[in-house]
Amino acid sequence: MDPMNLVNIVCIMGFTAVSAFMDLRERRIPNKLTGLFFVTGLLFQIVIAFQFGPRSLLSPLLASVISLLILGGMWIAGGVGAGDAKLMAGLGMWLGLQNTLYVMLGSLLMSLILLVSLQILRKMRIRTGVLLVPVRTPGKATGTKVHKGIKLKRGIPYAVGVCLSTWAFVAFRAILPALAN
């Protein structure tokens, strides 16, 4: 395997795993993490551009902008958090436009599966700690609730869907050449 490809895969899988963990634990993805993900992706693409030319930067830049537009719109509508939009922009910098769109579509599917699974667990009266109904608390941000000293948010941690989709995509891309032989 090409060393640059290995660096790409390790960074993508590492950043998405840490983001999913943070989103599950704290229900937010820190700006330091998403910023580092984006900047290291940009640096990676600049190194690649020395080999393939400056036009190779176009796809990652477009992927980041389009990710921000799509998930930024979802953030404005209240569907995802701002950290999720920034996570996808960083991922776009690493994956490029076409691959980012695949992962984004997959993340929506994975998040839907997660949501349905949580609903099934809720119907079975199994507590998950994830609130799926809107909660408004005076003096707090919309969609948060303080329960026993812990701030809880409604909805699902979208970074988990992004992580699962990214890992499935990376696995699929690794297996695909083996199937062609």
Side-chain angles (χ1 to χ4, degrees):
M1 177 180 282
D2 174 32
M4 292 305 279
N5 195 24
L6 184 60
V7 167
N8 187 296
I9 290 170
V10 168
C11 288
I12 287 169
M13 293 179 83
F15 274 112
T16 56
V18 171
S19 297
F21 175 76
M22 296 296 290
D23 203 10
L24 273 171
R25 192 179 80 177
E26 297 181 17
R27 297 309 308 267
R28 62 181 297 276
I29 306 167
N31 288 336
K32 288 180 182 177
L33 182 63
T34 57
L36 181 62
F37 192 31
F38 182 85
V39 169
T40 55
L42 179 59
L43 292 173
F44 178 82
Q45 293 302 336
I46 289 171
V47 169
I48 296 295
F50 280 115
Q51 183 179 4
F52 295 104
R55 294 186 98 196
S56 66
L57 286 171
L58 184 61
S59 177
L61 290 171
L62 276 173
S64 292
V65 169
I66 290 171
S67 295
L68 275 177
L69 289 173
I70 293 172
L71 270 78
M74 292 172 65
W75 171 69
I76 290 169
V80 298
D84 299 317
K86 292 178 271 187
L87 171 65
M88 281 304 299
L91 193 56
M93 188 53 69
W94 282 94
L95 290 176
L97 183 58
Q98 184 176 4
N99 295 338
T100 300
L101 293 174
Y102 289 142
V103 168
M104 193 180 302
L105 183 61
S107 67
L108 292 171
L109 180 61
M110 293 290 186
S111 295
L112 177 64
I113 291 168
L114 180 61
L115 178 63
V116 169
S117 300
L118 288 169
Q119 287 286 23
I120 290 169
L121 291 172
R122 184 172 167 235
K123 295 286 184 194
M124 296 169 59
R125 299 193 185 274
I126 297 173
R127 292 177 167 246
T128 62
V130 178
L131 300 176
L132 300 176
V133 294
V135 176
R136 294 184 189 267
T137 306
K140 302 288 180 188
T142 302
T144 62
K145 179 181 176 184
V146 177
H147 177 71
K148 296 183 182 178
I150 300 171
K151 186 167 87 171
L152 303 173
K153 285 188 172 182
R154 69 178 168 94
I156 59 170
Y158 185 70
V160 173
V162 172
C163 180
L164 293 173
S165 175
T166 302
W167 283 45
F169 178 78
V170 167
F172 179 74
R173 295 291 283 213
I175 293 170
L176 192 60
L179 294 176
N181 292 333

